[in-house]
Amino acid sequence: RGVTAIKERALEKNEGAIGVYLHENVFETVPAGVFDGLRNPLTIRLDHGALSELPPGLFDEIGPLRFLFMSHNRLEELPSGLFDNLDDLLGVGLHNNRLQNLPSDTFHGLHRVIGIDVAGNNISGTIGAGTFTNPDLAFVSLAHNPVRSAEAGAFSEALEQVWLTGSNLTCARLAGVDGALPSEAGCIEGEVCDAGLGVALFGNDVCNSAWDQRYNTAVCLWDGGDCKY
């Protein structure tokens, strides 16, 4: 904690690490090659910090990462293609940043992702067709963004739940006028799952209330055991 800068070779000789925990620090960016060579990382945590900029290609030379958490930072935009080489990623947490736009191809490289959390940003306007159409994407939180509408085809047919609480988009509009809500999907607009790592962990039998009681709520889809999967 309290780290102000990350050196480019900071992880050298740790290529076998399965977890990289750099959260709760105050560095504003990371070197482009800092994660190169990690062979089999399970989790990278960069959350609860002061990140304001990410270099292009940050994750291009990394092994099969499963979970990436960058929530509670100061990110206003993401480099194009940031996630293009993360084929094995299952969950990404970007909630509580300052993102203003979400291009429809932002998450296209995530072929196995199940949960994406972009709650608590400044995303406005319309969610374009194809934005959340990853084949296995089941959980998306857009809560507390000034988004107003979504185009038909914005979400995958695999969608199980979307959170719209605190946005300018209602469940009725998403399902009706916009025609963007898949017929089998649920929609929440009265509450928000505010567990520390958000909905990025959903669907993987890894989120539970033993280490975060906020998951033990209906709005976090608590089913009496682990979070819904």
Side-chain angles (χ1 to χ4, degrees):
R1 296 181 181 181
V3 176
T4 58
I6 300 294
K7 296 181 179 179
E8 184 173 354
R9 303 175 70 178
L11 300 178
E12 193 175 57
K13 299 182 180 179
N14 290 285
E15 290 83 359
I18 61 172
V20 178
Y21 303 109
L22 296 171
H23 55 299
E24 298 181 358
N25 284 297
V26 293
F27 50 83
E28 297 182 358
T29 189
V30 291
V34 69
F35 300 122
D36 290 2
L38 290 178
R39 294 190 300 269
N40 192 34
L42 175 65
T43 301
I44 291 179
R45 288 192 61 178
L46 293 163
D47 53 287
H48 291 83
L51 276 177
S52 60
E53 183 179 5
L54 298 174
L58 179 60
F59 304 113
D60 283 0
E61 303 297 329
I62 198 172
L65 182 66
R66 300 302 197 275
F67 299 100
L68 176 59
F69 302 105
M70 297 188 290
S71 58
H72 296 274
N73 278 293
R74 304 170 185 172
L75 297 170
E76 296 185 3
E77 61 180 354
L78 301 173
S80 177
L82 181 66
F83 305 116
D84 283 0
N85 291 306
L86 296 180
D87 289 354
D88 294 288
L89 199 68
L90 300 176
V92 55
L94 285 162
H95 47 293
N96 296 100
N97 273 283
R98 302 173 182 176
L99 299 176
Q100 299 179 26
N101 299 297
L102 201 61
S104 60
D105 62 350
T106 299
F107 302 115
H108 279 190
L110 304 181
H111 300 129
R112 296 182 60 197
V113 70
I114 298 174
I116 294 177
D117 198 330
V118 291
N121 280 281
N122 296 316
I123 301 166
S124 60
T126 299
I127 301 299
T131 303
F132 296 111
T133 51
N134 315 69
D136 296 323
L137 182 55
F139 307 100
V140 175
S141 182
L142 284 164
H144 298 297
N145 282 286
V147 60
R148 293 185 176 277
S149 61
E151 294 180 352
F155 297 95
S156 166
E157 288 298 321
L159 186 71
E160 293 185 26
Q161 195 76 43
V162 60
W163 288 259
L164 299 177
T165 307
S167 74
N168 294 318
L169 178 59
T170 66
C171 295
R173 168 156 186 162
L174 192 65
V177 175
D178 289 352
L181 186 67
S183 59
E184 300 299 318
C187 182
I188 295 175
E189 61 185 10
E191 299 177 276
V192 64
C193 180
D194 63 355
L197 296 178
V199 308
L201 286 177
F202 285 11
N204 298 290
D205 196 15
V206 292
C207 63
N208 62 68
S209 66
W211 44 270
D212 192 334
Q213 281 293 324
R214 289 172 293 183
Y215 279 119
N216 188 10
T217 60
V219 72
C220 287
L221 307 184
W222 184 257
D223 65 355
D226 286 333
C227 297
K228 185 176 180 180
Y229 61 91

